Amino acid sequence: MSECEVQRLLDAIAGCRICRDAPLRGEAHRLPHEPRPVAVLSAKAKILIAGQAPGLRVHETGITFNDASGNRLRDWLGVTREEFYDTDRFSIVPMGFCFPGYDVNGGDLPPRKECAPHWRSAVMAVMPQIELILAVGHHAQSWHLGAHVRENMTETVRHWRDYLEPDSGITILPLPHPSWRNTGWIKRNPWFEKELLPVLKELVRRKIG
């Protein structure tokens, strides 16, 4: 696809207000603040980072993964901040484009249900050059792995080798979310850092040059 087509889709996403104006679950579930869709599409990048939804800091700055989670993710990938935000190298498109707000315990709510059904197919269609999808978190894994997703995020990530030779030609590598909330998970699953991360770094470096 051309850069013009990518830009047209980005402009349309930037103007999206579905979660505010036409919430799927009715007026009571309207997004409680002004939407600020955050996504990075590319006509050249071979890697798509499929995240969950922006956090508050990303909402405030408009820069995806512009927080501690982003620092950890860049460390996992073995890339610099400059490489990470190079649109010739990475496309970064969360399942939900806007900060969804907080739950009663102060954690981020799940991605809005309006985004993926409305936008995901168009996003993938405009980036046919994608060769590697990094599916960060359960929501991205469920969408991109479909029937191949396991019973929970841990088991999906644990079986990461099963997704390296896909029928579609696009490699999908499932990852936990790099949030500090998953620090305990990382400690309980040492295979993640020992076995998966070296392969992840190699795949990324091969794709970005």
Side-chain angles (χ1 to χ4, degrees):
M1 293 289 177
S2 70
E3 292 185 5
C4 289
E5 290 171 301
V6 170
Q7 188 58 53
R8 278 197 293 270
L9 182 57
L10 271 174
D11 291 342
I13 290 171
C16 181
R17 297 295 183 270
I18 295 175
C19 55
R20 185 194 67 186
D21 298 341
L24 281 179
R25 295 190 294 158
E27 293 298 312
H29 297 279
R30 180 191 297 272
L31 188 73
H33 51 264
E34 177 64 18
R36 186 180 190 179
V38 179
V40 178
L41 275 64
S42 170
K44 296 180 180 179
K46 295 181 179 179
I47 301 175
L48 166 62
I49 298 174
Q52 298 200 125
L56 179 59
R57 179 172 173 79
V58 174
H59 172 74
E60 292 173 340
T61 64
I63 303 173
T64 187
F65 280 109
N66 186 31
D67 51 19
S69 294
N71 293 336
R72 173 178 269 176
L73 179 59
R74 286 182 279 277
D75 182 61
W76 287 355
L77 303 181
V79 300
T80 65
R81 186 178 176 91
E82 180 181 16
E83 289 174 323
F84 186 79
Y85 290 115
D86 181 350
T87 56
D88 285 353
R89 289 172 164 154
F90 291 98
S91 174
I92 308 169
V93 188
M95 299 308 298
F97 296 144
C98 294
F99 171 54
Y102 294 121
D103 61 24
V104 294
N105 297 314
D108 288 3
L109 287 166
R112 295 288 304 196
K113 295 183 180 297
E114 297 87 355
C115 277
H118 188 83
W119 291 110
R120 205 72 188 176
S121 294
V123 165
M124 298 308 299
V126 84
M127 297 191 298
Q129 82 284 352
I130 293 296
E131 297 178 0
L132 172 63
I133 297 175
L134 304 179
V136 180
H138 169 72
H139 296 282
Q141 291 159 16
S142 294
W143 183 275
H144 286 285
L145 291 172
H148 299 290
V149 75
R150 303 282 174 156
E151 59 268 28
N152 55 52
M153 187 276 294
T154 297
E155 290 307 306
T156 299
V157 178
R158 192 189 304 277
H159 288 84
W160 58 273
R161 292 179 181 85
D162 295 348
Y163 310 117
L164 292 181
E165 299 294 336
D167 296 333
S168 67
I170 299 177
T171 298
I172 301 174
L173 193 63
L175 301 173
H177 195 279
S179 167
W180 63 268
R181 295 176 183 273
N182 278 335
T183 298
W185 183 94
I186 294 169
K187 291 180 179 179
R188 293 191 301 273
N189 296 277
W191 51 266
F192 173 72
E193 292 187 315
K194 182 179 179 180
E195 300 173 19
L196 191 156
L197 287 190
V199 174
L200 172 62
K201 287 182 171 67
E202 181 182 351
L203 281 173
V204 167
R205 189 51 57 182
R206 193 186 308 160
K207 298 299 182 185
I208 71 172

